Amino acid sequence: ITAAALITLVCGIVTAVSSLRVQAATAVREREFRILVQGISDYAIYMLTPEGRVASWNAGAGKLKGYSEEEALGRQLGDFYLPEDRAAGKPERALERARAEGRFTVEGWRVCKDGSRFWAHVTTEAVHDERGIFRGYAKITRDMTKPKQDQDRLLKTSANLDAALTYMHQGLCLYGEDSKLILWNQRFCDLYGLAPDALQVGMTAEEVLYAALSKINGA
């Protein structure tokens, strides 16, 4: 009986020591992870409670949105949305999607403390503990204003080019360095009586000429 009791006691001590070591290692890893997250300044990384209130706030979030950690903690997610988006229920729907699907990614305008806005790429992920219990949301936000501005300028330039090609009086075909067709305007098709799908990107000049002459000869 005494031996069995001693064995049980030793096993209990070993188990307790092992548990303490695991807990200590976990605490160290969590502390190191918090330090890493807090030090990231290019991304806003923060946690939300299950109710959608800010529970943590890193340096990147403060830099991007303009709120200090003290000012941000406890704020509702909707405080970072445009008024019309809040009225439309977008913050709530984003959390619902993340909760239902595990992760939800979207782009849109977000508001800073001073009232200015930026184009954000936002990922929201539902967070569960080791027992599978839902604990809230992790959010990662990146400022994509500059890329969006570049893309908008490119789209505008492309739209202007399309308009110029469409309404110019001359027929135009543009070929690349490999002598393959890149683009053409409707006026070129009209001059030769070609259907809109008669020309295709990648056609050679000979193929374009053949299509045009075939239409003329056929007429």
Side-chain angles (χ1 to χ4, degrees), residues 126-147:
V127 176
H128 300 79
D129 63 17
E130 64 277 2
R131 294 173 295 174
I133 298 175
F134 174 63
R135 294 300 184 185
Y137 305 90
K139 290 187 68 69
I140 302 176
T141 302
R142 184 182 180 187
D143 184 3
M144 298 295 289
T145 305
K146 182 61 167 59

Side-chain angles (χ1 to χ4, degrees), residues 78 81-93:
Y81 279 69
L82 296 176
E84 55 267 32
D85 290 340
R86 289 198 299 269
K90 287 188 176 182
E92 292 78 12
R93 287 202 299 273

Side-chain angles (χ1 to χ4, degrees), residues 96-118:
E96 290 171 1
R97 290 281 300 275
R99 179 72 185 276
E101 302 171 13
R103 174 180 295 182
F104 177 62
T105 300
V106 68
E107 289 192 358
W109 291 109
R110 295 294 183 269
V111 181
C112 300
K113 178 184 176 181
D114 61 4
S116 62
R117 64 181 189 172
F118 65 98

